[in-house]
Amino acid sequence: MPTDRTLKTTVSVGGMSCAACVRRVENALREIPGVTDVAVNLATARATVSHTSDWSGVEMLRQVITDQGYDFLGVPDDTKEDPIGAAREREIRDLQMRFTVGIILSGIIFVGSMQHWFPFLMGIPRQPLLIVLFFLTTPVVFWVGSRFFIGALKAARQKTTDMNTLVAVGALAAWLYSSLATFFPRFFAGAEIMPHVYYDGAAFIVTLIILGRLLEARAKGKTSQAIQRLMGLKPKTARVVREGIESDIPIEGVVKGDLVIVRPGEKIPTDGVVVSGNSSVDESMLTGESMPVAKEAGTEVFAATLNRTGSFTFRATRIGAETALAQIIRLVEQAQESKAPIQRLADKVASIFVPVVFGIALATFAVWYFLVPDPVFSRALLNFISVLVIACPCALGLATPTAVMVGTGIGAENGILIKGGESLENAYRLRTVVFDKTGTLTRGEPEVTDIIPVAGIAPTEVLQAALDIEAVSEHPLARAVLERGKREGLHAAAVTGFEAVSGLGAMALRNEKMLLLGNRRFLEGEAISIRGAEAEIARLAAEGKTSVFVAEGGRVLGLLAFADQPKPSAAAAVAALKAMGLKVAMITGDNAATAKAMGRMLGIDRILAEVLPGDKAAEIKRLHEEGAVVAMVGDGINDAPALAAADIGIALGAGTDAAIEASDITLMRDDLLAVPRAIRLSFETMRTIRQNLFWAFIYNIIGIPIAAGVLYPLWGILLNPEFAAAAMAMSSVSVVSNSLRLRRRWRRILARS
């Protein structure tokens, strides 16, 4: 194995709270020998490390992550409990307890701080009351808010700062100032400053931000519900036949080649091929298609799909991580752990955000204490604290990954697998969609569309003659003739002396008369006149159909027309894409006349005809050179290079593994209407990301100046640190909630389509 081969390892990381945490973990992991790139996702709490085969190993990841002050939660394993899910449940319980204690004590502290508002407190001396408030506030700040101080110390040891630093400094400043005012009032009196206390501010800052963390943790759990639902579909047991004995065994015990029995109403335990029995299976969890699929001997079945009617036995062919469900879960996880390019903007801002906020906060204190008329220390301190606590890099870190998680989860539930954030962003910029013709826009199997007899000959005579000769042929058109004959209730008669003539047709003897089936050149070579058929040939060619003559005993009986029929959803899919403002093109190896006829039928204006399989990628690149952002939709092996060359490759799930591997979006069902749906989902997800980033940025752009006091000269408005803390806590919640709104919007879009 070459040492420079790029591999990937994903680990779970606990304790990250904001975009600055993400940046710190990424930068530290990049320093590990052999690591080539790192992507850390705040929403999924996972780090995906790209590395060479001779890198330093997972133990080095553990050491670096713990050295940075975060929790190494191991390598995700499909067979075990998700460590992130378990850690999130523990965190939610801990936050609930801390918030409950914090809000009760903060309420009491607020009442005590506002003694003049409550007549029943008027008789209590001020100094003893302040001492009580000190002892009530201290556990709120240092126990309820302990995570902020621990996080700030971890950051300080790494000579950096993060959101925890902002909260810790703000709460500590309010608590420390109030403590000094309580125990050293003479110091303030000597400086001719009224010793105000802000115990309520310190307590509420911590409590409200803990509330924000609690709501955020709950909301982030909802964004990963798609993965949880998919994983919950896995059956726990299988009914296996070994040595003629049926037994129920854990799903982990199934091996390839086992015979598995499935009864009505049961989930299929693993992937396989039916060997006996018939049934209909609900595959909606894989494809999004609600109609059950008929199953009989020789057809494939997939793990976690639901058997509806009959019983059947199948042979296990793929188990564990090889099953279609496991691959879907892996694709969705990879997508949710990826970063959209637009996230780089947020990362750059986060890298300088906290130092800039500290600078603004210190400048605010200096202005209010040294430059304004009648400066008051407590007012300067409050504005300093307000600037610190209102600044929230959490929203920046959550803006992109939460939307990507929801968007890719929606896609997975609807049979649309999106490989990652970059695919979403590229799809958002699409201008042109190119469809492969055969097998993508069309069924991929020619059909007999027209039977045109000469005068005095019945259509069934023409079809019977063709059926007799094609019954022993291996030509691709033979199957179409046999299918048409079967529908018409005809049976092939015996022929002798069959001979296939390459590129021309076939001949055989029937009742001692020579039967011929072939193209125009074939008949002309056999000196058989086709005079009078030219008009029909031209008409059929204009409709994109292939004409084949049938002759017997030296005279023409008639001709058959063949065409690869478009899929039922093809025209509607093209119309939907056009309605979205996209250009649609078709690429095919067919001749121009046939291709244009199909284009007219489907409403496609731009036709790329007579393109050899190996040249499809070059055609996509040529569209790039014209300035188009291109999606390629295909299904075959020969489409894989074009799918890879396109900005977005969209593969039909009914197609080949090579096409699916080369694509950015995979459609799990053979329904072309899923193409506009996939692109629309990308549009909606990117719209949500942009909304999230807008609100994350605008919140700070507006909030920080208000906290600094820019409105005070005009309207006398200052921002109390308690309100700043509430606003900061809700900013992250609003970003995650907006991402969750994408699910409701998508349901409305589906209802309208």
Side-chain angles (χ1 to χ4, degrees):
M1 179 185 293
T3 58
D4 60 349
R5 181 184 172 191
T6 300
L7 305 171
K8 287 187 177 182
T9 299
T10 298
V11 296
S12 299
V13 182
M16 297 187 297
S17 60
C18 67
C21 298
V22 170
R23 187 189 76 254
R24 191 188 313 157
V25 174
E26 285 182 341
N27 290 343
L29 293 179
R30 284 195 182 99
E31 297 299 318
I32 296 175
V35 171
T36 57
D37 193 21
V38 180
V40 175
N41 187 304
L42 179 60
T44 61
R46 287 183 176 178
T48 301
V49 180
S50 301
H51 55 82
T52 58
S53 56
D54 58 347
W55 71 308
S56 304
V58 173
E59 279 305 311
M60 181 60 73
L61 296 183
R62 180 197 300 273
Q63 180 180 332
V64 170
I65 289 170
T66 53
D67 285 350
Q68 292 298 313
Y70 299 100
D71 301 322
F72 178 85
L73 300 179
V75 178
D77 186 343
D78 290 343
T79 64
K80 298 178 183 177
E81 181 185 20
D82 177 20
I84 294 301
R88 184 171 288 139
E89 287 299 319
R90 290 194 299 271
E91 181 186 27
I92 288 174
R93 289 195 296 270
D94 180 68
L95 289 170
Q96 285 174 330
M97 180 175 62
R98 291 175 188 267
F99 171 69
T100 301
V101 172
I103 197 65
I104 292 171
L105 291 180
S106 295
I108 297 171
I109 293 164
F110 174 78
V111 172
S113 299
M114 300 300 172
Q115 183 181 17
H116 56 285
W117 286 8
F118 302 96
F120 64 88
L121 295 176
M122 297 301 288
I124 301 176
R126 184 65 176 167
Q127 189 61 25
L129 182 60
L130 291 180
I131 294 173
V132 171
L133 293 178
F134 167 81
F135 283 108
L136 290 174
T137 305
T138 300
V140 177
V141 172
F142 294 102
W143 180 76
V144 174
S146 60
R147 64 179 54 220
F148 305 123
F149 292 95
I150 293 170
L153 289 172
K154 289 178 180 178
R157 283 201 295 267
Q158 301 299 324
K159 299 178 182 178
T160 185
T161 55
D162 60 14
M163 173 247 174
N164 292 307
T165 311
L166 298 178
V167 177
V169 171
L172 185 62
W175 176 85
L176 186 59
Y177 173 78
S178 300
S179 301
L180 292 173
T182 298
F183 294 103
F184 302 98
R186 291 182 181 178
F187 169 78
F188 292 91
E192 298 181 355
I193 298 174
M194 184 67 67
H196 294 292
V197 294
Y198 299 101
Y199 288 124
D200 57 332
F204 271 113
I205 286 171
V206 168
T207 301
L208 290 173
I209 295 174
I210 287 290
L211 173 61
R213 287 285 183 88
L214 174 59
L215 296 175
E216 178 186 312
R218 285 176 172 169
K220 283 198 292 187
K222 291 180 181 179
T223 63
S224 60
Q225 282 180 349
I227 287 287
Q228 294 165 7
R229 279 194 287 266
L230 287 171
M231 296 185 74
L233 293 171
K234 296 178 179 178
K236 302 294 187 292
T237 62
R239 185 173 294 106
V240 176
V241 180
R242 291 176 179 169
E243 298 180 356
I245 300 174
E246 289 185 25
S247 59
D248 289 336
I249 65 172
I251 189 65
E252 294 79 13
V254 177
V255 298
K256 289 182 182 179
D258 272 343
L259 289 176
V260 183
I261 297 175
V262 184
R263 294 182 178 137
E266 294 180 343
K267 284 184 179 178
I268 296 169
T270 190
D271 291 5
V273 176
V274 177
V275 295
S276 64
N278 296 277
S279 185
S280 61
V281 174
D282 180 356
E283 296 184 345
S284 58
M285 50 72 58
L286 279 181
T287 66
E289 176 58 61
S290 58
M291 291 296 293
V293 180
K295 299 295 180 181
E296 58 186 14
T299 57
E300 278 191 296
V301 291
F302 303 98
T305 55
L306 182 63
N307 183 31
R308 287 292 188 192
T309 53
S311 297
F312 61 88
T313 302
F314 74 93
R315 190 176 302 280
T317 57
R318 291 191 294 266
I319 59 174
E322 299 174 346
T323 65
L325 176 63
Q327 292 175 33
I328 289 171
I329 291 172
R330 190 157 52 249
L331 276 172
V332 176
E333 286 178 336
Q334 289 171 358
Q336 294 186 344
E337 290 158 13
S338 68
K339 279 191 178 183
I342 197 171
Q343 177 67 20
R344 294 173 192 145
L345 173 63
D347 291 345
K348 287 179 181 177
V349 171
S351 66
I352 60 172
F353 184 82
V354 175
V356 168
V357 169
F358 264 111
I360 294 172
L362 291 171
T364 299
F365 179 87
V367 169
W368 280 93
Y369 191 63
F370 295 109
L371 300 181
V372 302
D374 303 320
V376 178
F377 178 83
S378 60
R379 185 169 59 189
L381 179 65
L382 284 179
N383 291 343
F384 168 80
I385 295 170
S386 294
V387 170
L388 289 181
V389 299
I390 200 170
C392 182
C394 295
L396 289 175
L398 292 168
T400 297
T402 53
V404 170
M405 287 180 72
V406 175
T408 53
I410 290 171
E413 292 169 3
N414 288 272
I416 301 168
L417 299 184
I418 302 170
K419 285 194 175 176
E422 188 168 358
S423 300
L424 283 168
E425 189 161 340
N426 284 337
Y428 181 77
R429 299 184 294 112
L430 281 180
R431 292 296 177 267
T432 302
V433 180
V434 180
F435 285 92
D436 171 58
K437 174 181 169 284
T438 304
T440 301
L441 284 172
T442 67
R443 298 178 187 275
E445 296 180 356
E447 297 179 2
V448 177
T449 59
D450 300 83
I451 303 174
I452 305 171
V454 299
I457 302 294
T460 53
E461 289 185 57
V462 179
L463 180 59
Q464 182 68 60
L467 179 63
D468 293 345
I469 196 169
E470 291 286 40
V472 292
S473 172
E474 296 180 356
H475 192 275
L477 296 180
R479 182 175 177 181
V481 174
L482 294 175
E483 287 292 328
R484 182 62 180 264
K486 183 179 179 181
R487 291 204 306 270
E488 299 285 344
L490 301 178
H491 300 280
V495 296
T496 58
F498 175 83
E499 181 184 352
V501 183
S502 179
L504 296 174
M507 60 178 65
L509 286 173
R510 183 181 68 171
N511 300 327
E512 298 184 356
K513 290 185 179 180
M514 181 63 70
L515 273 180
L516 297 176
L517 186 143
N519 58 27
R520 181 174 186 165
R521 283 195 300 135
F522 187 33
L523 266 67
E524 289 175 344
E526 295 294 324
I528 298 175
S529 174
I530 59 169
R531 190 178 304 164
E534 290 85 351
E536 286 294 345
I537 295 171
R539 178 182 69 81
L540 294 171
E543 295 174 2
K545 298 174 181 177
T546 301
S547 299
V548 174
F549 289 92
V550 180
E552 183 180 29
R555 70 187 184 98
V556 173
L557 299 179
L559 55 86
L560 302 179
F562 296 82
D564 188 1
Q565 295 296 304
K567 292 177 180 176
S569 58
V574 171
L577 291 169
K578 285 186 169 182
M580 293 165 62
L582 299 172
K583 296 178 181 177
V584 182
M586 181 177 74
I587 190 167
T588 178
D590 287 348
N591 64 69
T594 301
K596 286 179 181 177
M598 180 61 69
R600 285 194 299 271
M601 190 183 306
L602 299 178
I604 300 176
D605 302 318
R606 183 159 188 179
I607 307 298
L608 306 173
E610 300 179 19
V611 179
L612 296 175
D615 295 334
K616 288 182 179 179
E619 286 294 321
I620 296 298
K621 291 175 182 176
R622 190 164 62 81
L623 289 173
H624 279 157
E625 293 168 1
E626 295 175 8
V629 180
V630 182
M632 171 70 190
V633 185
D635 73 319
I637 291 175
N638 60 5
D639 295 327
L643 289 169
D647 296 284
I648 290 289
I650 302 177
L652 298 182
T656 65
D657 290 341
I660 294 171
E661 182 66 29
S663 65
D664 301 287
I665 298 175
T666 300
L667 308 179
M668 294 304 294
R669 62 184 182 208
D670 195 8
D671 179 4
L672 289 171
L673 282 172
V675 174
R677 288 193 192 116
I679 295 172
R680 175 62 59 84
L681 178 59
S682 301
F683 286 1
E684 291 297 324
T685 305
M686 279 304 302
R687 176 184 170 196
T688 300
I689 290 173
R690 291 176 185 274
Q691 288 173 346
N692 287 351
L693 288 173
F694 171 80
W695 288 113
F697 280 117
I698 204 71
Y699 160 82
N700 285 297
I701 290 170
I702 295 174
I704 291 175
I706 293 175
V710 296
L711 299 182
Y712 187 79
L714 296 174
W715 296 291
I717 296 175
L718 288 175
L719 190 63
N720 189 300
E722 296 167 31
F723 295 116
M728 176 210 167
M730 296 312 296
S731 65
S732 295
V733 176
S734 66
V735 163
V736 180
S737 300
N738 188 53
S739 296
L740 291 171
R741 283 179 60 241
L742 176 59
R743 187 173 293 277
R744 292 196 296 273
R745 286 207 308 272
W746 184 250
R747 282 198 291 263
R748 289 197 297 268
I749 289 170
L750 287 182
R752 290 196 301 266
S753 63

